[in-house]
Amino acid sequence: MPVYSMTGYASATAGAAEPAVSTVANELPATRSAALSRASVNVELRSVNGRFLDLNLRLPDDLRALEPTLRELLTAAFRRGKIELRLNSQSASDTAWPQPQPEQLNRLLHLQGTIRGWLPDAQALTVHEVLHWCKAGASGEPLDDVALDAARRAIAGLREARAREGQRLVDVLMGGVNRLRELAAKAVPLVPATVQRQQQKFLERWQEALEQTGATQTVSREALQERALNEAAAYAIRIDVAEELARLHAHLDEMARMLAAGGEVGKRLDFLIQELLREANTLGSKASSLELTTISLDMKVSIEQLREQVQNIE
């Protein structure tokens, strides 16, 4: 199953054949009814990252009734992200000149006579006004099925776009995972070396302190060395980061497993990022050498880069 990004764009256009309105006055009715034009619907989908699924639909008034169905289609296809759907429709009647029918003209004439009977000063209808009323009164073919067809195509296109972007994010994230593994591998041999150096320092300082106070006359050299080694062991326990590194490796393995499995992994990856950052912070607080401090800082930088990419995964 692929990993889906929450960012993407897709558009689709679907059309339906409907009778064209002729502009030739002397055209035969049979010829007019045979002429066909296209009514089209265009759907645009834009998606950006978001914590939850946030839908914003912009529909023309004549297709407003499709909003519940469109929401169901989007909810079934996506789980997270801010998605904006824009739907635009255009029919032949939007651009063609209408062909007034006799019943329309008779009705307009009757209405004009009635109004001017009550309002003698009212102006007569112009040709433009007559054409406008005839165009508004013409019954266009319903575009509901066409709009839903375009919406389904756009949704399929957006899923493909989000899948492609998701694969690119997987590649980036796996690069970050490998980088963190390399840093953790560098930190492993540093702790024993640090403990060994610190042990030697303890022995030297204990010896110097006891020589200055004259305690070497009353305490044996073996007892002094044992006491120094115990202090060094206690120090080694305080700076041991083996558990942090083990948990870090476990989190990285789980992240790699989820990226390989795919699906809706965005929230789980975000949780793992928080755990990785916690281990990196603990490693830095226990750092007893400049090398470990540098590794901890590099880990934090890499983890923050991973966090930015994870925010875009569904």
Side-chain angles (χ1 to χ4, degrees):
M1 183 180 297
V3 172
Y4 291 98
S5 170
M6 285 189 286
T7 59
Y9 171 83
S11 65
T13 301
E18 67 177 9
V21 180
S22 174
T23 59
V24 182
N26 59 354
E27 187 177 7
L28 297 176
T31 306
R32 289 200 305 267
S33 62
L36 293 178
S37 67
R38 301 289 293 180
S40 62
V41 175
N42 177 260
V43 175
E44 285 185 312
L45 284 173
R46 291 180 174 86
S47 175
V48 296
N49 62 320
R51 294 184 60 189
F52 309 101
L53 183 61
D54 184 8
L55 302 179
N56 182 16
L57 277 61
R58 302 193 177 188
L59 311 175
D61 293 337
D62 55 336
L63 295 175
R64 184 67 62 183
L66 295 179
E67 182 170 347
T69 304
L70 293 173
R71 287 186 177 275
E72 290 179 3
L73 292 175
L74 293 170
T75 303
F78 307 106
R79 294 294 179 270
R80 296 177 65 197
K82 296 180 180 179
I83 300 177
E84 178 182 327
L85 182 148
R86 289 177 177 266
L87 192 152
N88 298 305
S89 63
Q90 184 174 7
S91 63
S93 59
D94 293 336
T95 56
W97 289 102
Q99 179 67 29
Q101 301 299 315
E103 59 273 13
Q104 291 177 320
L105 296 176
N106 288 332
R107 182 172 179 80
L108 287 174
L109 181 62
H110 175 72
L111 291 173
Q112 178 178 250
T114 302
I115 293 173
R116 299 191 69 180
W118 287 91
L119 302 172
D121 296 334
Q123 296 182 355
L125 289 172
T126 64
V127 174
H128 180 270
E129 291 171 340
V130 171
L131 292 175
H132 173 75
W133 284 107
C134 292
K135 181 178 181 179
S139 58
E141 181 178 350
L143 296 177
D144 292 9
D145 294 339
V146 178
L148 292 177
D149 181 33
R152 291 187 181 96
R153 294 183 189 178
I155 290 174
L158 183 59
R159 283 182 61 85
E160 294 176 0
R162 286 168 53 134
R164 290 192 299 270
E165 179 66 19
Q167 184 56 51
R168 287 191 285 268
L169 291 177
V170 169
D171 296 338
V172 172
L173 291 174
M174 286 304 302
V177 168
N178 294 332
R179 170 63 175 163
L180 288 172
R181 284 175 173 164
E182 293 173 359
L183 291 173
K186 291 181 180 179
V188 171
L190 294 178
V191 176
T194 303
V195 172
Q196 186 176 5
R197 289 196 302 267
Q198 195 65 30
Q199 181 180 1
Q200 185 63 32
K201 289 181 180 179
F202 272 127
L203 290 173
E204 294 174 356
R205 290 177 180 176
W206 272 95
Q207 185 65 30
E208 292 175 1
L210 292 175
E211 288 178 354
Q212 292 176 1
T213 59
T216 55
Q217 304 297 327
T218 58
V219 183
S220 65
R221 186 177 182 83
E222 290 77 8
L224 293 176
Q225 186 174 5
E226 183 180 358
R227 180 66 181 273
L229 291 176
N230 289 336
E231 291 292 336
Y235 175 77
I237 293 174
R238 291 196 301 271
I239 67 171
D240 185 23
V241 293
E243 293 184 4
E244 285 75 13
L245 292 176
R247 287 193 293 267
L248 187 72
H249 278 293
H251 297 330
L252 293 175
D253 291 342
E254 179 63 14
M255 179 176 289
R257 186 196 66 79
M258 287 193 297
L259 291 174
E264 301 169 23
V265 296
K267 291 184 178 180
R268 286 179 289 174
L269 288 175
D270 188 59
F271 172 76
L272 284 177
I273 291 295
Q274 297 178 19
E275 295 300 311
L276 288 173
L277 189 59
R278 182 180 304 174
E279 303 303 336
N281 285 329
T282 305
L283 180 65
S285 64
K286 288 186 175 182
S288 55
S289 64
L290 179 60
E291 294 86 349
L292 278 175
T293 301
T294 302
I295 289 176
S296 174
L297 292 175
D298 291 341
M299 282 184 173
K300 292 178 184 180
V301 172
S302 297
I303 293 171
E304 286 298 331
Q305 291 173 348
L306 290 178
R307 185 200 295 275
E308 293 178 1
Q309 301 300 329
V310 166
Q311 299 301 317
N312 293 319
I313 292 182
E314 185 177 34

